[in-house]
Amino acid sequence: MLGLMQQRPLLISTLVDYAAQWHGEREIVSRDPEGAIHRTNYAEVAARAKRLANALDALGIAQGDRVATLAWNGFRHLELYYGVTSSGRVLHTVNPRLFPDQLAYIMHHAEDGYVFFDPVFAPLVEALAPRLPQVRGWVSLSDRAGLPDVKVDNLLVYEELLAAASADYSWPPLDENAASTLCYTSGTTGNPKGVLYSHRSTVLHAFAACAVDGLGLSGRDSFLVVVPLFHANAWSVPFSGAMCGMKLVLPGPRLDPESLFALLVDEGCTKSGGVPTVWLNFLTWIEANRASLDLGRLRLKTVLCGGSAPPRAIIEKFHELLGVFLLHAWGMTETSPIVTVGAPLAKHDGMSGAALVDVQAKQGRQVCGVELKLARPDGGEAPHDGVSVGELKVRGNWIVSGYFKGEGGQVLDEDGWFSTGDVATIDPDGYVQLTDRLKDVIKSGGEWISSIEIENLAMSHPEVFEAAVVAVAHPVWQERPLLIVQPRVGFAPTRESILAFLTERLPKWQVPEDVAFVDSLPHTATGKLLKTELRQRFHGHLAVAG
Amino acid sequence: MLGLMQQRPLLISTLVDYAAQWHGEREIVSRDPEGAIHRTNYAEVAARAKRLANALDALGIAQGDRVATLAWNGFRHLELYYGVTSSGRVLHTVNPRLFPDQLAYIMHHAEDGYVFFDPVFAPLVEALAPRLPQVRGWVSLSDRAGLPDVKVDNLLVYEELLAAASADYSWPPLDENAASTLCYTSGTTGNPKGVLYSHRSTVLHAFAACAVDGLGLSGRDSFLVVVPLFHANAWSVPFSGAMCGMKLVLPGPRLDPESLFALLVDEGCTKSGGVPTVWLNFLTWIEANRASLDLGRLRLKTVLCGGSAPPRAIIEKFHELLGVFLLHAWGMTETSPIVTVGAPLAKHDGMSGAALVDVQAKQGRQVCGVELKLARPDGGEAPHDGVSVGELKVRGNWIVSGYFKGEGGQVLDEDGWFSTGDVATIDPDGYVQLTDRLKDVIKSGGEWISSIEIENLAMSHPEVFEAAVVAVAHPVWQERPLLIVQPRVGFAPTRESILAFLTERLPKWQVPEDVAFVDSLPHTATGKLLKTELRQRFHGHLAVAG
């Protein structure tokens, strides 16, 4: 028997209309590349998003067609977020920091028909245009005066498109499962793969973001959106912001500490969100300049941090220097992204200092609306004891069911779980702690051993400069950990001294099978250990050594 | 083009599983009629709800069948909330305070097959049983020792049913639009009508309740559930509580101030919710006993209030005596119930005193997820100027589409709007202020005039004891307001003095057409003005008077 409640589709347009009607005067503040401040509000942004929808109609862009952006965080980008999706097209937010080859691959694969770009990306657009023949138009996110000198066919001006379009528009009825936005994963292995979000997934995800124990977003907040709008839906902020009528502050390309600080103070920001790197720079600058800064004017209370794990020092400095709570969250492009959030529990009331940092440093607890499990190699679930490791698998309405155009094939197991590739523990309170990427874990006799944990331990040995742990083949245990050490200059630690050091600090079965010494460890261009090379080189180490 | 996100049904069972897994040890505290405290938690309640589901299977209760409760707020009632709905049956929460004739009508209409009742309702059950031949079993919410002396066929004992049932159960997959709970409106006109909620409506409504700017519920909260579980889903608390892992304190039948205060203090309650009457008694008692109470032990921060408008004195006293913020919400059984919530805006930061009470006394702002409009008699929308009146019409996923078994016929207009029968203004900030029931409004020449506003004004005249305003027929304006006055003893105000008094305080077109004097105004048994009688008596007043 069905209930007798209304069934209305969950659509992004309902969020846009809500913000326009009930939070119409709530500000949207943008900073352009030259530092000039632009002020608008939800009512105006929604009205311009409707003009944009008429302009897209006039350009002949069909429902479901992809419209790409190459843009920083600003009000025009936000209008595209609302107008493209609510009118039934798919917004493809492209990361302009990728290499041109990657960009060309992604935008070709997505079949982007129109590209809306910030004028600062004119050189990039010129380089891409010849490689993207399917693009029917390039739209400069500016007025005529701001149009850059860019040589592409079908160059259009955003403000002219809007000026020529009627203000009269009603969002179309759509299937709530219709596609809304498209993001490509950075693709550490293989080609980048597209994640195609739906209106339903987006609205449900926004509800989770507005929950007190989710991101805790409120119409009373002013939010500095440091996370780029081209990163996994900017963690839902464009959508959850509209859902609650939150003031949005969009910093454009300048993410230097001084620019961020000025916006935080001038716009009365209570919350912000971004990756650890930005905050590390920010806090270093605050610390160096605190004597000359009027920190009392800062209203910032909470900073969301994700993308990678923030070092403890960031958590501590936010608290000590600014009285700000770092709210750690975890997810990925494939998960919209929010899966876990480090909201404290009632039992943490009154907790402070290192104990609270311990909680904040973890990736947080599963939010309601998705499901998370810690899968053991044998298919069972690992206990939530803070020690047992497993791979995080997720399931739910804002989790990918497959990649765009079937790339990567079937990505869910028969029960619908998506494998994140992240290895973690979950403590008895439900807090997730990432320990490794699955590919870096040593699978030893049905148990998993974290390479990162052993590396960190080994590096605390006074004679070790850097350490890497990789799996090597073993006749009985399939894989065993091998520790590869680059000694400190002037030291020559022995195998025995290092193993003795580790034996005191690790369960016996996790102690590396052997130690190899190298003059220097190989790294990627971004400074990460190049484990693929080490694995190739040392794969047969035990057979040889044995 | 559809998105490529997982599509999993929005089911109450997902909330129950979430609470059991991620907030398993969070407490559910109940007080029985004798005052004894019972402690359990989400893990145990969920496990017992699964046993209950097996017991319902054993009783042969089919999917979609109605299971009724006659019960106060306690853990067994909560288990029914979870086990009956999650297993695919429909929980019909019956208000035991209704007259036996109404109960017999409702439970017959709902075709309740099994009735789960608190032992204290044994006399009621005995009276109802002969009139409800379709009931196949009566289940006492107790163990064998607590079984009351009640003479009905097929008497069962809840704890024995659970003890005999297997603990092993998996919630079935259900259509997210499947029926979940059933509540009847009290039915001031005509027969009571059933509102049949769905899993989808319930889960979406719970998301709104957990939003910061919704009810703001959090896993950090301990919530004293004063609103009965048989009142409009207890404002979503059983469901939103599970969604966020909130501690629930269930007070049983004793809602006297002393009992409530003891629970608030002993269980560290941070939030509570209930109708104004309960809080009026509570605050009067606090005020009278404050010298002997250790108010410093109270952790209460927010009290939700709805059902009827709380007098300003309640808002003020909560703040002054206890430092508690009264959060005013509005809705009705047909709306799940949450439509508007009085969460403050950023612009209210730092506001206090009478200005803040002005905001709190209004019914609040529309939450995201439903739509609200102020419909004028001519079909247009009234402006949000805080003065123009209109009928509140609502639309959305947790709004009724029709009543159970088609009672009342088509209840939505062609655009899907449900007429609430409430007349209101909406101010420029979006705050709704109820002014009248539609049936009490005077429809004068295409404009609406609030009877309540004129009554309140007239009663501020020093010689008026009580006043009523009703519509009387008018040849030009269709209806005009007639003021009917009962003078204070010893006074004889004149028509002219009262009209002069009102003319100074009302727009000219709202000033009553005439004043009639009576020795006493008629009232209902509950003390409300009996306007139907006044309308009958005075309908032709102007024709006669003219």
Side-chain angles (χ1 to χ4, degrees):
Chain A
M1 184 170 64
L2 297 185
L4 291 167
M5 304 307 279
Q6 298 183 22
Q7 292 174 32
R8 302 189 68 81
L10 301 172
L11 298 177
I12 292 169
S13 58
T14 64
L15 308 185
V16 176
D17 283 346
Y18 174 77
Q21 183 170 15
W22 299 98
H23 299 271
E25 294 175 19
R26 196 73 174 132
E27 276 188 313
I28 312 287
V29 178
S30 307
R31 193 171 191 189
D32 74 14
E34 285 70 46
I37 296 292
H38 174 277
R39 293 181 184 279
T40 178
N41 61 35
Y42 279 108
E44 290 173 4
V45 164
R48 281 166 53 92
K50 289 191 168 188
R51 280 186 184 273
L52 172 63
N54 275 323
L56 301 178
D57 285 353
L59 291 172
I61 302 175
Q63 300 259 319
D65 276 4
R66 271 73 66 206
V67 172
T69 57
L70 281 167
W72 298 110
N73 294 5
F75 67 99
R76 294 188 182 99
H77 204 172
L78 193 68
E79 290 163 5
L80 285 154
Y81 253 85
Y82 296 159
V84 171
T85 60
S86 295
S87 69
R89 286 89 178 188
V90 176
L91 184 75
H92 176 202
T93 51
V94 182
N95 182 349
R97 291 169 173 160
L98 297 178
F99 294 112
D101 278 357
Q102 290 175 302
L103 290 173
Y105 172 86
I106 287 173
M107 296 172 79
H108 176 76
H109 188 268
E111 299 175 57
D112 296 329
Y114 280 82
V115 181
F116 289 69
F117 65 96
D118 275 349
V120 293
F121 293 119
L124 184 60
V125 162
E126 263 188 12
L128 286 171
R131 303 175 65 177
L132 295 171
Q134 89 284 358
V135 173
R136 291 180 283 144
W138 300 85
V139 185
S140 171
L141 289 168
S142 66
D143 53 18
R144 173 65 56 178
L147 186 63
D149 179 22
V150 56
K151 284 166 195 60
V152 292
D153 292 336
N154 298 314
L155 181 64
L156 299 164
V157 178
Y158 183 81
E159 290 298 336
E160 292 179 354
L161 285 181
L162 260 58
S166 163
D168 191 28
Y169 187 87
S170 294
W171 303 121
L174 300 171
D175 183 328
E176 69 179 26
N177 292 304
S180 56
T181 57
L182 174 65
C183 294
Y184 278 73
T185 59
S186 46
T188 48
T189 57
N191 281 320
K193 293 189 281 290
V195 179
L196 191 64
Y197 308 93
S198 71
H199 285 264
R200 175 178 162 107
S201 75
T202 302
V203 171
L204 292 174
H205 183 246
F207 269 122
C210 289
V212 178
D213 299 335
L215 301 189
L217 305 181
S218 159
R220 290 189 292 284
D221 284 318
S222 167
F223 194 105
L224 178 65
V225 191
V226 177
V227 54
L229 292 181
F230 52 77
H231 264 188
N233 303 304
W235 306 349
S236 149
V237 169
F239 304 119
S240 48
M243 180 177 261
C244 70
M246 182 166 70
K247 174 173 173 177
L248 299 181
V249 183
L250 303 166
R254 295 199 197 179
L255 303 181
D256 60 283
E258 197 160 357
S259 299
L260 294 183
F261 184 76
L263 282 174
L264 288 169
V265 167
D266 294 347
E267 304 305 330
C269 295
T270 53
K271 290 199 168 84
S272 184
V275 296
T277 323
V278 172
W279 300 124
L280 197 58
N281 290 339
F282 177 77
L283 290 165
T284 304
W285 179 84
I286 292 275
E287 204 164 18
N289 296 280
R290 60 200 297 189
S292 64
L293 296 172
D294 185 359
L295 297 181
R297 291 179 61 211
L298 207 61
R299 296 187 56 214
L300 193 64
K301 295 285 176 291
T302 306
V303 162
L304 308 180
C305 204
S308 63
R312 290 178 70 94
I314 291 186
I315 301 172
E316 289 163 352
K317 283 189 183 166
F318 259 127
H319 176 71
E320 288 160 16
L321 294 174
L322 305 174
V324 164
F325 184 85
L326 181 140
L327 185 62
H328 190 172
W330 170 79
M332 51 206 300
T333 303
E334 288 88 339
T335 66
S336 290
I338 305 163
V339 176
T340 63
V341 177
L345 296 170
K347 70 193 296 179
H348 301 128
D349 282 359
M351 185 182 270
S352 63
L356 187 57
V357 174
D358 287 345
V359 175
Q360 290 176 267
K362 295 188 175 185
Q363 274 70 30
R365 293 161 40 83
Q366 181 205 304
V367 298
C368 191
V370 287
E371 292 173 88
L372 178 71
K373 73 173 180 182
L374 198 58
R376 296 175 64 98
D378 62 7
E381 284 190 51
H384 295 188
D385 57 12
V387 177
S388 303
V389 293
E391 185 192 3
L392 292 175
K393 297 198 175 188
V394 290
R395 187 166 75 172
N397 276 298
W398 56 86
I399 310 298
V400 74
S401 64
Y403 292 103
F404 189 44
K405 296 185 175 178
E407 290 287 328
Q410 171 68 32
V411 300
L412 306 184
D413 70 17
E414 57 189 9
D415 296 319
W417 293 94
F418 174 77
S419 294
T420 66
D422 274 326
V423 173
T425 61
I426 300 181
D427 71 20
D429 289 331
Y431 287 81
V432 167
Q433 168 94 63
L434 297 187
T435 60
D436 257 309
R437 287 292 293 169
L438 185 57
K439 62 183 170 49
D440 295 332
V441 159
I442 292 99
K443 290 99 178 170
S444 172
E447 296 287 344
W448 285 350
I449 299 173
S450 164
S451 60
I452 293 175
E453 192 182 350
I454 304 177
E455 285 163 6
N456 288 340
L457 260 182
M459 283 194 273
S460 69
H461 185 290
E463 301 182 353
V464 172
F465 176 72
E466 193 174 14
V469 171
V470 295
V472 291
H474 188 282
V476 175
W477 302 108
Q478 286 86 48
E479 293 182 2
R480 288 293 296 156
L482 170 71
L483 176 64
I484 307 162
V485 165
Q486 175 180 344
R488 278 182 188 279
V489 175
F491 291 92
T494 63
R495 174 186 187 277
E496 287 65 33
S497 83
I498 288 177
L499 289 181
F501 179 85
L502 294 178
T503 300
E504 282 175 24
R505 292 164 173 83
L506 282 173
K508 189 170 183 332
W509 58 278
Q510 293 190 11
V511 174
E513 203 68 15
D514 198 5
V515 184
F517 293 93
V518 293
D519 293 336
S520 75
L521 283 163
H523 292 89
T524 66
T526 58
K528 288 184 182 175
L529 278 169
L530 198 58
K531 290 206 177 173
T532 44
E533 187 182 316
L534 291 171
R535 270 192 285 268
Q536 280 172 11
R537 181 167 156 202
F538 287 98
H539 180 258
H541 175 83
L542 292 185
V544 176
Chain B
M1 185 170 63
L2 297 186
L4 290 168
M5 304 306 280
Q6 298 184 22
Q7 291 175 32
R8 303 189 67 82
L10 301 172
L11 298 178
I12 292 169
S13 58
T14 64
L15 309 184
V16 176
D17 283 346
Y18 173 77
Q21 182 171 12
W22 299 98
H23 299 272
E25 293 176 18
R26 196 73 173 134
E27 277 189 311
I28 311 288
V29 179
S30 307
R31 192 172 192 190
D32 75 12
E34 285 72 43
I37 296 292
H38 174 276
R39 293 181 184 278
T40 178
N41 60 35
Y42 279 108
E44 290 174 5
V45 163
R48 281 167 54 93
K50 290 191 166 186
R51 282 186 184 271
L52 173 63
N54 275 323
L56 300 178
D57 284 355
L59 290 171
I61 302 174
Q63 299 259 320
D65 276 5
R66 271 73 67 205
V67 172
T69 57
L70 281 168
W72 298 110
N73 293 6
F75 67 99
R76 294 188 182 99
H77 203 171
L78 193 69
E79 289 163 7
L80 285 153
Y81 253 86
Y82 296 158
V84 171
T85 60
S86 294
S87 69
R89 286 88 179 188
V90 176
L91 184 75
H92 176 202
T93 51
V94 182
N95 182 349
R97 290 169 173 159
L98 297 177
F99 293 112
D101 278 358
Q102 290 173 301
L103 290 173
Y105 172 86
I106 288 172
M107 296 172 79
H108 175 78
H109 188 268
E111 299 175 58
D112 296 328
Y114 279 82
V115 180
F116 288 68
F117 65 96
D118 275 348
V120 294
F121 292 120
L124 184 60
V125 163
E126 263 189 13
L128 287 171
R131 303 174 66 177
L132 295 171
Q134 90 283 357
V135 173
R136 290 180 284 144
W138 300 84
V139 184
S140 171
L141 288 167
S142 66
D143 54 17
R144 173 65 55 177
L147 186 64
D149 179 24
V150 54
K151 283 164 197 63
V152 292
D153 292 337
N154 298 316
L155 180 64
L156 299 164
V157 177
Y158 183 81
E159 290 298 335
E160 291 180 355
L161 285 180
L162 261 59
S166 163
D168 191 29
Y169 187 88
S170 294
W171 303 121
L174 300 171
D175 184 326
E176 70 179 25
N177 292 303
S180 56
T181 57
L182 175 66
C183 293
Y184 278 74
T185 59
S186 47
T188 49
T189 57
N191 282 322
K193 294 189 280 289
V195 179
L196 191 64
Y197 308 92
S198 71
H199 285 263
R200 174 178 162 109
S201 74
T202 302
V203 171
L204 292 174
H205 183 247
F207 269 122
C210 289
V212 177
D213 299 336
L215 301 189
L217 306 181
S218 158
R220 290 189 290 286
D221 285 317
S222 167
F223 194 105
L224 179 64
V225 192
V226 177
V227 54
L229 293 181
F230 52 77
H231 265 186
N233 303 305
W235 305 350
S236 148
V237 169
F239 303 118
S240 47
M243 179 176 263
C244 69
M246 181 167 69
K247 174 173 172 177
L248 299 180
V249 183
L250 304 165
R254 294 200 195 177
L255 303 180
D256 60 284
E258 198 160 358
S259 298
L260 293 183
F261 183 77
L263 282 174
L264 288 169
V265 168
D266 293 346
E267 304 304 331
C269 295
T270 53
K271 290 198 169 84
S272 184
V275 296
T277 324
V278 171
W279 300 124
L280 197 57
N281 291 339
F282 177 77
L283 291 164
T284 304
W285 179 84
I286 292 275
E287 202 162 21
N289 296 279
R290 60 200 296 188
S292 63
L293 296 172
D294 185 359
L295 296 180
R297 292 181 60 210
L298 208 60
R299 296 186 56 212
L300 193 64
K301 296 282 175 289
T302 306
V303 162
L304 309 178
C305 203
S308 63
R312 290 178 70 92
I314 289 186
I315 301 171
E316 289 162 352
K317 284 188 182 169
F318 259 127
H319 176 72
E320 289 161 14
L321 295 174
L322 305 174
V324 164
F325 185 85
L326 183 140
L327 184 63
H328 190 172
W330 170 79
M332 51 206 300
T333 303
E334 287 88 339
T335 66
S336 291
I338 304 163
V339 176
T340 62
V341 176
L345 295 170
K347 69 194 294 181
H348 301 130
D349 282 357
M351 184 182 270
S352 63
L356 186 57
V357 174
D358 287 347
V359 175
Q360 291 176 268
K362 295 187 176 184
Q363 273 70 32
R365 293 161 40 84
Q366 181 206 303
V367 297
C368 191
V370 287
E371 293 173 87
L372 178 71
K373 73 173 181 183
L374 199 58
R376 296 177 63 101
D378 63 8
E381 282 191 50
H384 293 189
D385 56 12
V387 177
S388 302
V389 294
E391 186 192 4
L392 292 175
K393 296 197 175 189
V394 290
R395 189 166 74 171
N397 277 299
W398 55 86
I399 310 298
V400 74
S401 64
Y403 292 103
F404 190 44
K405 295 183 175 178
E407 289 287 327
Q410 171 67 33
V411 301
L412 305 185
D413 71 18
E414 58 190 9
D415 295 318
W417 294 93
F418 174 76
S419 295
T420 66
D422 275 325
V423 173
T425 60
I426 301 182
D427 71 21
D429 289 330
Y431 286 81
V432 167
Q433 169 93 64
L434 296 187
T435 60
D436 257 306
R437 286 293 293 170
L438 186 57
K439 62 184 170 50
D440 295 331
V441 160
I442 293 98
K443 290 99 181 170
S444 173
E447 295 288 345
W448 285 350
I449 300 173
S450 164
S451 60
I452 293 174
E453 192 183 349
I454 305 176
E455 285 162 7
N456 288 340
L457 259 183
M459 283 195 273
S460 70
H461 185 289
E463 300 183 354
V464 172
F465 176 72
E466 192 173 14
V469 171
V470 295
V472 292
H474 188 281
V476 175
W477 303 108
Q478 287 85 48
E479 293 184 358
R480 287 292 298 155
L482 170 69
L483 175 65
I484 307 164
V485 164
Q486 176 181 342
R488 279 184 187 277
V489 175
F491 291 93
T494 63
R495 174 185 186 279
E496 287 65 32
S497 82
I498 288 176
L499 289 180
F501 179 85
L502 294 178
T503 300
E504 284 174 24
R505 293 164 173 82
L506 282 173
K508 190 172 184 325
W509 58 279
Q510 291 190 12
V511 175
E513 203 68 16
D514 198 5
V515 184
F517 293 93
V518 294
D519 292 337
S520 76
L521 285 162
H523 292 90
T524 66
T526 59
K528 290 184 180 173
L529 279 169
L530 199 57
K531 291 205 177 173
T532 45
E533 188 182 313
L534 291 171
R535 271 192 284 268
Q536 281 172 12
R537 183 169 154 200
F538 286 99
H539 180 261
H541 176 83
L542 292 183
V544 175

